Amino acid sequence: MKIQTNSSGTRSIDVSDDHLLTIEKYQLFRDLIDSNGYVDEQVLDKLKLNIRSLLEGDAGKDKTLLDLCLDVIYHPNMKAFGLQQLVLLYINWKNQGNENLGMTMRSIQGTPFN
């Protein structure tokens, strides 16, 4: 899946089911956005700080979290617009129930998350 990272549509980032599963596993979007509902650069910075603190702990050994950081969150094209699109993609993915979720979870359960 691709998310658009700027309003003109000239930049994008590839997002995989594994990335979305990692967001879910670490509940990275929980309490991230204030009650005003705006996703701005401060929200992106808050997400990066939250992830940085996870990486300093045992979660820093989790390859899927590192992949999410390298491929999506710290991607040079990631800006507030892209984060908003990522949040919307995640919400749609959750609402769909993701038909492949069971198979994907079984395939990564053999991989230690610590």
Side-chain angles (χ1 to χ4, degrees):
M1 299 162 274
K2 282 190 183 271
I3 57 167
Q4 185 177 322
T5 58
N6 65 359
S7 57
S8 64
T10 57
R11 298 184 187 266
S12 63
I13 297 175
D14 289 318
V15 179
S16 70
D17 282 338
D18 287 343
H19 293 137
L20 297 172
L21 283 167
T22 303
I23 291 168
E24 180 177 46
K25 176 183 177 186
Y26 290 101
Q27 299 180 11
L28 296 177
F29 294 157
R30 185 179 198 175
D31 300 325
L32 183 65
I33 301 170
D34 294 333
S35 61
N36 65 18
Y38 292 114
V39 176
D40 56 17
E41 293 300 320
Q42 289 178 333
V43 174
L44 180 58
D45 291 341
K46 180 179 174 182
L47 175 62
K48 288 178 178 181
L49 288 172
N50 290 344
I51 291 174
R52 191 172 300 147
S53 69
L54 285 171
L55 291 171
E56 290 172 0
D58 288 340
K61 299 174 188 171
D62 184 351
K63 183 182 177 333
T64 60
L65 183 59
L66 294 172
D67 289 344
L68 174 67
C69 290
L70 294 173
D71 299 342
V72 181
I73 305 300
Y74 287 93
H75 190 284
N77 290 340
M78 180 56 82
K79 304 290 185 234
F81 186 90
L83 179 57
Q84 181 180 10
Q85 299 306 305
L86 180 61
V87 169
L88 292 173
L89 174 66
Y90 176 76
I91 290 169
N92 287 334
W93 178 80
K94 288 288 289 180
N95 287 340
Q96 284 179 356
N98 196 352
E99 303 163 358
N100 300 323
L101 180 61
M103 182 171 35
T104 305
M105 285 300 289
R106 283 190 296 279
S107 70
I108 64 174
Q109 281 177 345
T111 305
F113 284 115
N114 52 15

